[in-house]
Amino acid sequence: MKSFLVFFFFRSSVRMGLLFFLLPVLSYGQEPIGSVEANATLPKLELVPIERNDDALTPFEKSELRRLFGLDLRELARRPVRGVLGYEQEYWRNPASVHVLRPDDVSLNGHVLTVEALRGVPGMHVTRGLGYDDFAIMRNFSGSSTEKFLAMVDGREVLQIMGGTVNATGEGVPLEILDRVEIIRGPGASIWGTNAVSGVYNIVTKSAAATQGDSVRLVIRDDGTFLGDYVHGGQAGEDAFYRVWFRDQEYAEGTLNSGLSAKDDGSFRKLGFRYDKTLSRDLDFTFAGALGKRRVHHVLDLSQRLYYPTEPATPVDAALLQGLPGAVGVPITWPPSRDSDLSMPADYTRYEYWGEMPHDASHLRAKLSGVTDSDLEWSLAGYAEQYKTFLGHVGRRWERKEYDLDFKANKPIGDRHHLAFGLATRHMDFDVEDVMTPPWKFDTNDTWGTPATDITVLDHGDSPTKFDRFSAFFQDSYEFSDSILLSAGAKFEESDLAGSGVQPGARLSWAVNKTNVLWSAYSRAYRTPSLVERYSKVSYARVWVPTKGIWLNQSFPGNSNLEKEETDAFEVGWRSQPWVDFTAELSLYHYDTSNAIFSGPPNYEPHDVKTTGGELTFDYSPFHYWTLKGGVSRTISKKEGVETDNFPKTLANVSSHLRLRDDLIFSQNFYYAADRTIAGESYNPIPIPAHLRMDLGFIWRPDESLEVGLFGRDLLDPHHPENMYQDLELEPARVERSFLLSITKRF
Amino acid sequence: MLSLITKFKDFAKAMRFASFAIVSVCVCSNASFGKTDSSENARTEARFKAAYLAHLLHYSTWNEEDLPSADSTVGLAVVGEDKHHFAQVLLYLIDELKITIQGRKVKVFSLARIPDADEEKEMFKDCAVVYFLQSEINRWSECTLCDKKGVLAIGEGSKYAREGACVSIVRSRNRVKLLINREGYASRNLKVSSRLLRLRSAVDLYKKGG
């Protein structure tokens, strides 16, 4: 017992002793909270040189830092520190497939207009038609001409609800005032709005303060096409700036695929202004507007519109030649035919009617925006727009007046949430007048056999002309951690054209490590059918009834029962920046669409469409004097289970800029589009072969005030076709090899 | 008119739901998740401040006599507890974009805290810029070495400019901006560009008593 007690006491003493001596060692470096030990001395204070540690910043952060420094102080002051997912398009954790174009993407690549630069965006297919119409389609959706994405300029929707198209030329702005174009591939309805089914593009212009002084840009093509922009900016008092600009574009006549002249020469002139004033700290006012006038002619091909009733139907000229009983020729109101070496169906004679197509558009935009002390950012914007056009080739004159009011706000809540919400209302008022065009001014009978002399090609009839829309959205972005972000929201809408609807969306972003981000998204979006699809009766064919000696009109009514197209979209993406000079992105998507409408009469029946595809893009600067960008996209679409071929399944592009000297850049651009077919309900389908386009250019920038560019475009072949309005035009125009000089001077 | 009212009623129903959803989110977010430190937000803010600082160097002018010879290096000291690697962010920007101060290369240093009065008086001898992090804001008024001529004193937080520094970089309303004390500049033999002072959207001027 005694030994045990001694051992126990000894063991305890050793433990206590060890504790007594070890405690100071364990405590070393840990300053007791709220106290300093007596007689303790602080380490010697000295300046420590910082050695560069490349791991301190991720490549994503380095890129962002360079971009921030590239902003001037005024722009930096406007930039929110914490943004809303879906708004901050250049944020690497953004769970969406985003591409940003800048003015250099237009000027260094020899593009005349901003819309042409969309050719360099993987997943987008941009084609040129007659009359310098540019068609821009995204992710194999909808056919050849109808845009099923939301197009905006400074927040103003520019989709023409009449035909479901965008007048890209008419909505263009001078390059000098362009800040960027944000392209979001994939539905973004919860933030952006209706019709953002395949995506969104948003043209953002610079503030008036950022375009002070004068600048002139001239672009001249070898065929005589000319573009001139003049921009003047000045100060209108303390904290107030203004800008005015003028554009003149003259189109030279193009050539059809057969070699005939396209008769599409014309002009476009536009005037614009902007006034910005800082009313008080973090309260800004903007007032802007523009007025544009475009004058071109457009063609309606008549060659296959008058038939003799055989099976299949025979054109009347051919019936006459074949000696079919009672056959007659075309009415005398028809224009004389043009010879064509186009391989047309046997015995078809070519007839065309050109009508003038004047187009006047004007808009005003006012916006008040601010930030409160509680970090609530808000904006209240109003738009008024008037659009007048006459489609002389089909005899439709229409005017649209539109008024919009839009309130948006966002606010960080705590350290992890960021809420965005908004309300909007729109009122549209149409005045539609359909007139007879000369070729159709001959006696006919309507569908029921009643004589009629005034059947127009398009007939809006008594269909509605006033439409209202109310909408609201909210979205919450939540940071689970520094690497996981979730954004969820919905848009609610009540509209005369689409009824009531909810468009929800959820997006998740995961920064796997310092150089890789994965994201995924689900969205539901819908598209409103155009007014033509819903309400226009199209009468552009007549059948000769020999037994009665009468013409019988063929009408194809619109479908007023068309419901909105609804798309469920599933997307995943991977974004990698292993080092600051190299970025790669992969996006994969699957869209499941019901009630999809494919553009063009006479058939406006809805279809189920499934579209699957992906885009791979890269951005690489192997050396400080060489930058490479590019991408490839692949997409397959099935309509009612049958694969469609009206969109190229593969698209690719590469852009290379080599700085030969400090003031000289050599630009090389390659664009590839796989083959496709322009389907024709009434006409033979037109195959558009696969084509590879090469553009080369030299750009000389001796200083910041002058830029001279010389470009050769489509150098690999003399010409190729790209697109046309199916069922209106017989053949597409040639997109020809061309040479272009551009000069930009700032004063 | 009746159809408009009907449409608006349907819309109002949807709005009631939306309002409920918004309020629910706000309540849940504040009730369930208290304030937590988000280092990503702090790092983002650090990048903004570094970009501002880099611009500020361009808008400030030193008297040549207060700078070392043209082929020398000048120091930029970052003082305080640098939790978000602000010094590294700044160094990256200076190195990559070859930022200089009146032709002189810039070397970045760190200093753990504002020196006491009895510590080495030549602490900022070779520095043209001293940047005080937020951790030092309460010790700024005690600093006797911080008003040296030829040294641009910048701090995180408005208190710095209000108590004699040249510039404060402040975060307010989800933005980063500058608060400039012209007397702070003048007392240190420095000049600030009038072009910077006119940028009201980015710059506030400190007025004594204001």
Side-chain angles (χ1 to χ4, degrees), chain A residues 12-81:
Chain A
S12 303
S13 301
V14 167
R15 282 177 178 172
M16 292 298 292
L18 279 172
L19 198 61
F20 181 76
F21 285 109
L22 284 175
L23 190 59
V25 174
L26 291 171
S27 303
Y28 182 75
Q30 295 173 30
E31 195 167 322
I33 296 170
S35 69
V36 177
E37 290 185 38
N39 299 322
T41 55
L42 293 168
K44 185 174 174 349
L45 196 62
E46 56 184 356
L47 281 176
V48 176
I50 300 292
E51 298 303 325
R52 178 126 161 211
N53 174 5
D54 277 331
D55 291 335
L57 287 170
T58 69
F60 293 121
E61 289 173 328
K62 288 174 183 171
S63 292
E64 198 214 15
L65 190 52
R66 285 178 171 180
R67 226 171 357 247
L68 284 176
F69 183 70
L71 301 174
D72 68 26
L73 275 180
R74 194 176 272 116
E75 289 160 5
L76 197 55
R78 290 182 185 284
R79 195 92 169 217
V81 177

Side-chain angles (χ1 to χ4, degrees), chain A residues 301-332:
Chain A
D301 182 79
L302 304 170
S303 311
Q304 301 186 54
R305 305 215 184 259
L306 298 180
Y307 292 99
Y308 187 93
T310 54
E311 204 50 55
T314 305
V316 292
D317 265 0
L320 195 64
L321 284 174
Q322 291 165 27
L324 292 175
V328 297
V330 300
I332 59 171

Side-chain angles (χ1 to χ4, degrees), chain A residues 374-681:
Chain A
S374 60
D375 290 355
L376 174 77
E377 295 197 36
W378 59 271
S379 70
L380 180 64
Y383 311 94
E385 190 167 338
Q386 183 177 44
Y387 186 94
K388 283 189 332 187
T389 191
F390 177 50
L391 309 181
H393 56 307
V394 292
R396 165 160 286 183
R397 180 177 286 115
W398 57 274
E399 180 177 336
R400 183 186 96 243
K401 288 181 183 161
E402 183 178 315
Y403 307 97
D404 292 77
L405 197 60
D406 183 310
F407 171 78
K408 287 191 179 89
N410 71 82
K411 183 183 184 325
I413 298 179
D415 274 345
R416 296 198 180 276
H417 282 273
H418 205 127
L419 199 64
F421 53 94
L423 297 167
T425 179
R426 164 184 280 192
H427 173 75
M428 284 191 287
D429 196 335
F430 285 82
D431 182 8
V432 185
E433 182 190 1
D434 292 311
V435 298
M436 288 205 68
T437 54
W440 301 97
K441 283 180 181 169
F442 59 92
D443 292 339
T444 187
N445 289 258
D446 66 20
T447 316
W448 298 275
T450 306
T453 56
D454 58 353
I455 299 178
T456 54
V457 173
L458 294 177
D459 183 6
H460 193 75
D462 296 325
S463 300
T465 56
K466 292 184 185 359
F467 308 98
D468 292 303
R469 186 180 82 185
F470 300 105
S471 61
F473 78 89
F474 79 88
Q475 175 170 300
D476 186 22
S477 304
Y478 179 67
E479 292 186 45
F480 286 95
S481 66
D482 283 349
S483 58
I484 300 181
L485 300 176
L486 173 68
S487 169
K491 182 142 195 152
F492 308 91
E493 196 169 277
E494 166 67 43
S495 113
D496 288 330
L497 283 169
S500 302
V502 180
Q503 298 172 81
R507 296 180 175 267
L508 182 72
S509 151
W510 173 34
V512 178
N513 53 34
K514 286 182 176 182
T515 58
N516 292 279
V517 173
L518 294 175
W519 61 269
S520 63
Y522 162 74
S523 325
R524 165 166 275 222
Y526 60 72
R527 172 198 169 252
T528 310
S530 70
L531 297 188
V532 167
E533 289 162 356
R534 271 199 146 177
Y535 301 125
S536 290
K537 187 169 72 174
V538 181
S539 304
Y540 59 5
R542 291 178 183 173
V543 178
W544 172 250
V545 183
T547 53
K548 294 182 181 176
I550 60 168
W551 288 99
L552 198 61
N553 188 63
Q554 300 294 293
S555 287
F556 306 96
N559 187 344
S560 58
N561 295 320
L562 278 179
E563 296 189 6
K564 50 186 180 282
E565 294 182 25
E566 290 187 332
T567 296
D568 287 300
F570 305 88
E571 301 171 271
V572 293
W574 164 66
R575 187 174 292 129
S576 180
Q577 192 166 10
W579 57 93
V580 71
D581 294 317
F582 178 77
T583 310
E585 291 199 41
L586 174 67
S587 308
L588 303 172
Y589 59 90
H590 175 77
Y591 296 169
D592 193 341
T593 305
S594 54
N595 303 322
I597 298 294
F598 285 73
S599 57
N603 191 352
Y604 291 118
E605 292 306 312
H607 302 277
D608 285 337
V609 177
K610 291 187 187 352
T611 307
T612 306
E615 296 114 17
L616 178 64
T617 66
F618 72 91
D619 193 330
Y620 179 40
S621 295
F623 306 104
H624 69 274
Y625 53 82
W626 188 20
T627 58
L628 276 170
K629 287 184 196 181
V632 60
S633 66
R634 177 82 181 160
T635 178
I636 306 284
S637 188
K638 291 185 179 177
K639 183 167 86 171
E640 307 292 357
V642 177
E643 211 166 286
T644 61
D645 60 357
N646 58 358
F647 188 97
K649 290 189 175 60
T650 304
L651 295 166
N653 72 283
V654 174
S655 175
S656 161
H657 296 142
L658 261 173
R659 188 172 288 277
L660 302 177
R661 290 193 321 235
D662 283 347
D663 61 352
L664 188 65
I665 297 168
F666 176 41
S667 158
Q668 315 110 65
N669 286 276
F670 299 87
Y671 308 94
Y672 170 77
D675 60 287
R676 59 184 278 253
T677 304
I678 299 176
E681 296 291 342

Side-chain angles (χ1 to χ4, degrees), chain A residues 42-58 61-66 68-74 76-83 91-93 238-239 278-284 371-375 377 410 412-424 466-468 470-474 476 478-479 482 492-496 500 580, chain B residues 4 7-8 10-11 14-15 17-18 21-22 25-26 28-30 33-41 43-48 50-52 54-56 59 77-79 82 85 87-93 95-97 99 107-116 119-120 122-127 170-178 196 198-204:
Chain A
L42 293 168
K44 185 174 174 349
L45 196 62
E46 56 184 356
L47 281 176
V48 176
I50 300 292
E51 298 303 325
R52 178 126 161 211
N53 174 5
D54 277 331
D55 291 335
L57 287 170
T58 69
E61 289 173 328
K62 288 174 183 171
S63 292
E64 198 214 15
L65 190 52
R66 285 178 171 180
L68 284 176
F69 183 70
L71 301 174
D72 68 26
L73 275 180
R74 194 176 272 116
L76 197 55
R78 290 182 185 284
R79 195 92 169 217
V81 177
R82 284 178 63 185
Y91 190 47
W92 70 85
R93 289 193 290 170
E238 197 181 351
D239 297 324
T278 300
L279 299 176
S280 67
R281 188 172 172 229
D282 294 320
L283 183 64
D284 297 308
V371 187
T372 68
D373 283 337
S374 60
D375 290 355
E377 295 197 36
N410 71 82
I413 298 179
D415 274 345
R416 296 198 180 276
H417 282 273
H418 205 127
L419 199 64
F421 53 94
L423 297 167
K466 292 184 185 359
F467 308 98
D468 292 303
F470 300 105
S471 61
F473 78 89
F474 79 88
D476 186 22
Y478 179 67
E479 292 186 45
D482 283 349
F492 308 91
E493 196 169 277
E494 166 67 43
S495 113
D496 288 330
S500 302
V580 71
Chain B
L4 196 64
K7 272 181 273 186
F8 192 76
D10 289 337
F11 174 70
M15 283 323 304
F17 171 73
I22 290 169
V25 166
C26 291
C28 289
S29 64
N30 283 317
F33 309 104
K35 271 196 180 283
T36 53
D37 178 38
S38 167
S39 63
E40 184 54 43
N41 286 327
R43 288 167 70 91
T44 303
E45 191 176 320
R47 290 192 291 276
F48 268 82
Y52 261 99
H55 277 293
L56 196 54
Y59 285 101
V78 177
V79 182
D82 192 2
H85 308 290
Q88 279 291 339
V89 175
L90 202 52
L91 181 59
Y92 175 80
L93 210 52
D95 273 359
E96 282 298 304
L97 301 171
I99 293 172
K107 191 163 176 59
V108 179
F109 296 88
S110 78
L111 188 67
R113 55 178 172 77
I114 286 179
D116 290 331
E119 284 175 304
E120 189 185 352
E122 297 292 300
M123 189 65 70
F124 299 131
K125 183 177 69 146
D126 298 319
C127 290
V170 298
R171 178 167 169 181
S172 161
R173 298 179 180 182
N174 201 23
R175 302 282 193 281
V176 174
K177 296 195 182 178
L178 301 175
L196 177 65
R198 284 198 294 269
L199 291 176
R200 274 190 54 191
S201 53
V203 172
D204 281 331

Side-chain angles (χ1 to χ4, degrees), chain A residues 167-396:
Chain A
N167 187 332
T169 302
E171 297 299 341
V173 297
L175 197 57
E176 189 65 15
I177 75 171
L178 177 72
D179 185 73
R180 64 192 186 278
V181 183
E182 300 168 334
I183 300 111
I184 301 115
R185 295 179 291 249
S190 64
I191 279 280
W192 296 100
T194 300
N195 297 323
V197 174
S198 55
V200 180
Y201 87 65
N202 184 26
I203 293 177
V204 181
T205 60
K206 293 176 182 170
S207 64
T211 53
Q212 298 291 286
D214 297 89
S215 77
V216 172
R217 180 179 183 232
L218 304 172
V219 183
I220 305 160
R221 260 175 44 168
D222 58 329
D223 65 353
T225 296
F226 165 84
L227 174 91
D229 285 335
Y230 170 69
V231 179
H232 166 73
Q235 194 157 356
E238 197 181 351
D239 297 324
F241 298 89
Y242 71 91
R243 167 174 74 222
V244 293
W245 55 268
F246 176 71
R247 162 169 284 188
D248 178 24
Q249 194 170 359
E250 307 289 332
Y251 311 118
E253 186 175 73
T255 308
L256 296 177
N257 205 32
S258 60
L260 291 175
S261 69
K263 299 192 180 183
D264 57 355
D265 52 324
S267 67
F268 175 63
R269 294 178 187 122
K270 191 170 180 181
L271 191 64
F273 75 94
R274 177 166 171 157
Y275 172 78
D276 293 321
K277 182 163 174 67
T278 300
L279 299 176
S280 67
R281 188 172 172 229
D282 294 320
L283 183 64
D284 297 308
F285 174 70
T286 294
F287 184 53
L291 167 67
K293 286 182 180 298
R294 188 171 182 229
R295 298 289 182 266
V296 290
H297 285 76
H298 226 297
V299 70
L300 174 67
D301 182 79
L302 304 170
S303 311
Q304 301 186 54
R305 305 215 184 259
L306 298 180
Y307 292 99
Y308 187 93
T310 54
E311 204 50 55
T314 305
V316 292
D317 265 0
L320 195 64
L321 284 174
Q322 291 165 27
L324 292 175
V328 297
V330 300
I332 59 171
T333 54
W334 278 50
S337 63
R338 272 213 293 184
D339 290 337
S340 169
D341 61 1
L342 181 73
S343 174
M344 292 179 68
D347 300 323
Y348 277 67
T349 305
R350 185 180 188 126
Y351 295 94
E352 298 156 299
Y353 173 69
W354 276 271
E356 58 173 4
M357 197 170 75
H359 149 214
D360 296 342
S362 58
H363 76 268
L364 292 173
R365 171 172 76 95
K367 182 174 171 183
L368 198 59
S369 59
V371 187
T372 68
D373 283 337
S374 60
D375 290 355
L376 174 77
E377 295 197 36
W378 59 271
S379 70
L380 180 64
Y383 311 94
E385 190 167 338
Q386 183 177 44
Y387 186 94
K388 283 189 332 187
T389 191
F390 177 50
L391 309 181
H393 56 307
V394 292
R396 165 160 286 183

